[in-house]
């Protein structure tokens, strides 16, 4: 299976969050992920949270990387490639078959710290959202900075469609 690996450089500017969301959604073409489906919506929310953290908490430029499995031979024709040379299809990479991987690398050596906030706070829930939405996430030091990553299983991690997992328990809408 081929994996499309794409990246976007972002400036330390809050307007970059919206640009990163639009860019990520545009890269779903050819990956078999419906641009308006639940997996895409979760991925876009994760992009928003991780890019916001990079922009707000580090004040540094960052690089957003996506690894999208399932790229077919028509990916180039569908607009998955880019003139900048930042997109490439390969048969190997960090993503396993059926796993969508998002990474945000920045030049800040400060570790990400999940916060406990009260109900009135307007921020501070980003990493809690990442923890609740992603199938896996973590971070690692990289040179003078760090890389925060998360992964989504395309097959839903074993839950039936429409099932939400929270606190280790599965819930279905009624």
């Amino acid at each position: 299976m081929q994996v499309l690996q794409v990246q976007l450089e972002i400036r330390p500017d809050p307007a970059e969050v919206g640009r990163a969301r639009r860019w990520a959604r545009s890269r779903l073409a050819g990956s078999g992920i419906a641009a308006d489906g639940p997996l895409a919506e979760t991925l876009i929310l994760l992009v928003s949270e991780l890019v916001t953290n990079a922009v707000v908490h580090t004040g540094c430029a960052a690089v957003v990387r996506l690894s999208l499995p399932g790229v077919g031979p028509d990916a180039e024709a569908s607009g998955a490639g880019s003139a900048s040379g930042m997109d490439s299809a390969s048969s190997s990479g960090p993503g396993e078959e059926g796993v969508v991987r998002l990474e945000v690398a920045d030049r800040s050596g400060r570790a990400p710290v999940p916060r406990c906030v009260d109900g009135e706070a307007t921020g501070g829930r980003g990493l809690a959202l990442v923890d609740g939405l992603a199938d896996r996430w973590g971070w690692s030091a990289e040179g003078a900075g760090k890389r925060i990553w998360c992964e989504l299983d395309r097959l839903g991690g074993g839950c039936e469609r429409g099932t939400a997992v929270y606190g280790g328990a599965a819930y279905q809408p009624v």
Side-chain angles (χ1 to χ4, degrees):
M1 172 177 280
Q2 287 194 329
V3 175
L4 178 67
Q5 298 177 359
V6 294
Q7 69 179 32
L8 173 71
E9 294 180 18
I10 57 171
R11 299 178 312 274
D13 175 353
E16 292 288 83
V17 178
R19 186 170 77 96
R21 282 193 305 261
R22 289 186 300 277
W23 170 83
R25 191 175 300 278
S26 74
R27 295 305 183 256
L28 297 176
S31 68
I33 299 171
D36 59 351
L39 180 61
E41 294 301 325
T42 300
L43 176 63
I44 300 308
L45 179 54
L46 291 168
V47 166
S48 190
E49 292 303 326
L50 292 184
V51 171
T52 297
N53 284 353
V55 167
V56 171
H57 297 296
T58 71
C60 300
V63 176
V64 180
R65 292 184 183 99
L66 279 176
S67 295
L68 300 167
V71 176
D74 63 338
E76 215 171 304
S78 70
S82 87
S84 70
M86 301 290 256
D87 301 357
S88 64
S90 67
S91 58
S92 63
E96 296 177 27
E97 186 174 325
V99 175
V100 176
R101 184 176 175 101
L102 165 65
E103 301 176 359
V104 177
D106 63 50
R107 290 183 231 136
S108 169
R110 290 180 34 199
V113 179
R115 297 189 288 170
C116 293
V117 295
D118 66 29
E120 301 298 315
T122 59
R125 295 175 182 84
L127 289 177
L129 279 171
V130 172
D131 186 56
L133 294 171
D135 291 300
R136 289 163 298 285
W137 77 278
W139 72 279
S140 60
E142 183 174 283
K146 67 182 167 306
R147 176 183 312 269
I148 300 176
W149 59 270
C150 62
E151 293 178 338
L152 294 169
D153 295 331
R154 286 190 64 176
L155 302 176
C159 290
E160 295 176 21
R161 189 181 233 25
T163 301
V165 177
Y166 179 76
Y171 298 88
Q172 287 187 320
V174 288

